[in-house]
């Protein structure tokens, strides 16, 4: 075929040279996708088809994660199939199945339900596909290779420490301060770890009554699934906050809300505003309210005083780390890891990136100067 084209080119030199260029280019990009039976070991160091699966477009961070993964992989010569599953487990399983059929060399999966992928990943393993769990650990299977994430327990530790520091608890302020605890989705292993990190810091103050959880709900990490908000839904967090305020805070203000992320925090903020809480108010000042992701809406709330802090997990770094894992693996090099996470079957070699907190005092340096957002986006 190529020979034929060369002959034609010689005859129709000028007219067809453009066509040859396009053809050559097509072959170059199409080739990795077409090698359905290529095993991971045989795949080239750069180039290959990578399936990237994100849970939902609803939360800003996953859009950023998806975009970063796609652009960084493409910059290294990979072809990328990026899919979002609308937070629906069956859709995500189907997307994985389709990618296996298409002959991907690598699957990078941010799971919806970390325990629902064991069957489909058996197929992936049988097809010799490199499987990387992205941000969320995939549980109950031997058929994943690596896990790239942020230090999830540290996320909670930072949130808990932010509360301790803001209230001056370590300096002897004995309050008491009223507090409620929110937990993320029960099907997301991260939710458990965020909660553990925060409660480990806050437990002594809960135990000695300096922090008074009036509902009594979620005071220990063992209870994390009981009050978890399925699918991390803002509206469900809002409904729970409304209930808590009506039931326990009709005579007394709430001083602190531990929220593991921004989608929950935004629902909590809406409930607090509806109940008359206002930043700087003498009678109903806004409580200390934590979050995570530095979602644009939450950053706006932080600037307005209706959320106190968020955790900044630079999705550019996580994407870069994941791309490095893919590169190293396909090049037959040692894949760099710095931790292990137990997924109920084995200790999954993992790489943990470091989270930091962002609030009104440091957001410029962290988010604007680093080019993550422009000042305009946060207006
Ligand atoms: C992620 C958080 C995110 C949450 C909801 C967690 O697994 O680590 O960054 O806020 O899911 O999407």
């Amino acid at each position: 075929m190529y020979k034929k084209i060369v002959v034609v080119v010689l005859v129709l030199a000028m007219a067809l040279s453009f066509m040859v260029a396009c053809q050559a280019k097509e072959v170059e990009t199409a080739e990795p996708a077409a090698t359905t039976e290529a095993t991971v070991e045989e795949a080239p160091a750069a180039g290959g088809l990578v399936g990237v699966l994100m849970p939902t477009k609803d939360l800003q961070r996953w859009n950023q994660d998806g975009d970063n993964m796609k652009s960084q992989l493409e910059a290294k010569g990979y072809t990328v199939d990026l899919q979002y599953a609308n937070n629906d487990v069956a859709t995500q399983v189907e997307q994985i199945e389709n990618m296996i059929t298409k002959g991907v060399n690598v699957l990078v999966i941010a799971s919806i339900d970390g325990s629902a992928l064991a069957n489909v990943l058996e197929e992936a393993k049988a097809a010799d596909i490199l499987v990387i769990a992205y941000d969320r650990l995939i549980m109950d299977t031997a058929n994943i290779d690596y896990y790239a994430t942020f230090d999830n327990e540290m996320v909670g530790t930072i949130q808990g420490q932010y509360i301790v520091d803001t209230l001056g608890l370590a300096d002897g302020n004995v309050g008491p301060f009223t507090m409620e605890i929110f937990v993320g989705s029960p099907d997301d292993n991260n939710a458990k770890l965020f909660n553990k990190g925060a409660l480990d810091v806050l437990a002594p103050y809960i135990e000695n009554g300096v922090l008074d959880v009036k509902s009594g709900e979620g005071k220990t990490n063992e209870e994390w699934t009981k009050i978890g908000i399925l699918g991390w839904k803002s509206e469900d967090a809002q409904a729970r906050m409304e209930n808590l305020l009506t039931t326990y805070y009709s005579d007394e203000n709430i001083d602190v809300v531990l929220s593991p992320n921004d989608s929950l925090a935004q629902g909590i903020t809406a409930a607090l505003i509806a109940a008359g809480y206002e930043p700087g108010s003498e009678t109903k000042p806004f409580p200390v309210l934590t979050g995570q992701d530095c979602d644009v809406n939450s950053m706006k709330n932080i600037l307005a005083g209706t959320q106190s802090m968020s955790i900044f997990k630079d999705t550019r770094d996580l994407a870069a780390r994941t791309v490095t894992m893919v590169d190293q693996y396909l090049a037959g090099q040692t894949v760099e890891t710095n931790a292990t996470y137990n997924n109920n079957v084995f200790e999954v070699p993992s790489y943990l990136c470091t989270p930091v907190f962002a609030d009104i005092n440091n957001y410029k340096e962290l988010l604007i100067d680093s080019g993550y957002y422009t000042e305009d986006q946060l207006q």
Side-chain angles (χ1 to χ4, degrees):
M1 164 78 172
Y2 187 73
K3 260 188 191 168
K4 261 192 204 164
I5 290 171
V6 172
V7 172
V8 177
V9 166
L10 287 173
V11 178
L12 303 170
M14 282 294 286
L16 287 183
S17 59
F18 173 73
M19 192 179 129
V20 171
C22 291
Q23 175 112 4
K25 201 170 170 216
E26 235 168 61
V27 168
E28 242 173 56
T29 50
E31 209 168 39
T35 52
T36 32
E37 72 280 17
T39 62
V40 165
E41 292 77 36
E42 287 159 2
L49 179 59
V50 183
V52 177
L53 298 110
M54 291 288 146
T56 173
K57 276 188 159 276
D58 285 355
L59 196 62
Q60 183 199 324
R61 75 152 289 186
W62 301 115
N63 295 278
Q64 285 171 326
D65 285 282
D67 290 349
N68 290 333
M69 282 301 301
K70 187 163 159 47
S71 58
Q72 292 189 26
L73 282 165
E74 284 175 352
K76 292 248 177 179
Y78 295 95
T79 306
V80 178
D81 184 356
L82 168 64
Q83 304 278 341
Y84 292 83
N86 201 17
N87 256 344
D88 182 62
V89 178
T91 304
Q92 188 167 67
V93 170
E94 203 180 305
Q95 289 172 340
I96 296 173
E97 269 163 357
N98 288 339
M99 287 181 180
I100 296 171
T101 310
K102 259 193 199 171
V104 292
N105 303 103
V106 182
L107 285 166
V108 175
I109 307 171
S111 57
I112 296 163
D113 178 341
S115 301
L117 302 181
N119 288 345
V120 72
L121 291 183
E122 269 179 32
E123 293 170 39
K125 190 52 24 181
D128 268 330
I129 295 168
L130 168 68
V131 177
I132 299 179
Y134 182 91
D135 193 82
R136 297 173 173 172
L137 185 55
I138 298 175
M139 310 298 292
D140 307 322
T141 175
N143 296 322
I144 62 172
D145 297 287
Y146 298 99
Y147 178 35
T149 191
F150 283 87
D151 187 331
N152 295 304
E153 204 169 313
M154 192 190 286
V155 167
T157 308
I158 297 171
Q159 291 168 334
Q161 195 58 46
Y162 190 90
I163 292 170
V164 168
D165 292 346
T166 306
L167 301 179
L169 304 188
D171 299 334
N173 190 348
V174 289
F177 299 98
T178 55
M179 176 170 89
E180 292 299 332
I181 297 164
F182 280 70
V183 182
S185 195
D187 54 7
D188 182 349
N189 189 60
N190 286 356
K192 177 185 182 182
L193 299 171
F194 301 149
N195 183 253
K196 180 176 185 316
L199 287 187
D200 281 354
V201 176
L202 299 175
Y205 304 103
I206 295 174
E207 276 156 25
N208 69 11
V210 169
L211 293 173
D212 176 14
V213 182
K214 295 194 75 172
S215 70
E217 292 175 1
K219 289 197 320 188
T220 64
N221 190 229
E222 286 70 51
E223 295 167 56
W224 78 281
T225 50
K226 281 197 202 150
I227 57 163
I229 303 282
L230 189 65
W232 299 89
K233 287 201 175 129
S234 297
E235 55 273 29
D236 292 353
Q238 181 171 348
R240 177 165 183 259
M241 190 71 229
E242 281 164 2
N243 275 335
L244 291 170
L245 290 172
T246 320
T247 315
Y248 301 102
Y249 297 91
S250 51
D251 308 331
E252 204 178 343
N253 287 346
I254 183 158
D255 301 315
V256 185
V257 185
L258 171 68
S259 165
N261 90 330
D262 286 349
S263 62
L264 268 53
Q266 287 163 25
I268 294 163
T269 290
L272 288 164
I273 289 175
Y277 286 85
E278 214 186 318
S281 157
E282 296 265 301
T283 49
K284 273 196 165 187
F286 232 76
V288 178
L289 170 60
T290 58
Q292 166 180 202
D293 291 336
C294 290
D295 187 270
V296 164
N297 290 328
S298 279
M299 290 316 298
K300 287 181 180 170
N301 288 348
I302 288 176
L303 300 186
T306 55
Q307 185 174 322
S308 312
M309 61 83 84
S310 190
I311 299 285
F312 180 45
K313 302 197 297 191
D314 193 329
T315 52
R316 296 168 300 192
D317 292 348
L318 185 56
R321 172 49 53 189
T322 311
V323 173
T324 300
M325 280 182 161
V326 172
D327 267 348
Q328 288 175 334
Y329 185 85
L330 294 183
Q333 296 164 357
T334 307
V335 175
E336 203 184 328
T337 56
N338 62 7
T340 58
Y341 264 83
N342 191 298
N343 78 341
N344 296 336
V345 175
F346 76 116
E347 295 290 330
V348 184
S350 307
Y351 196 100
L352 309 191
C353 300
T354 307
V356 291
F357 79 81
D359 69 2
I360 196 151
N361 300 314
N362 70 356
Y363 82 95
K364 278 199 175 140
E365 192 189 332
L366 214 54
L367 301 172
I368 312 289
D369 297 353
S370 75
Y372 202 74
Y373 291 137
T374 62
E375 192 79 67
D376 280 356
Q377 285 175 284
L378 305 186
Q379 294 313 303

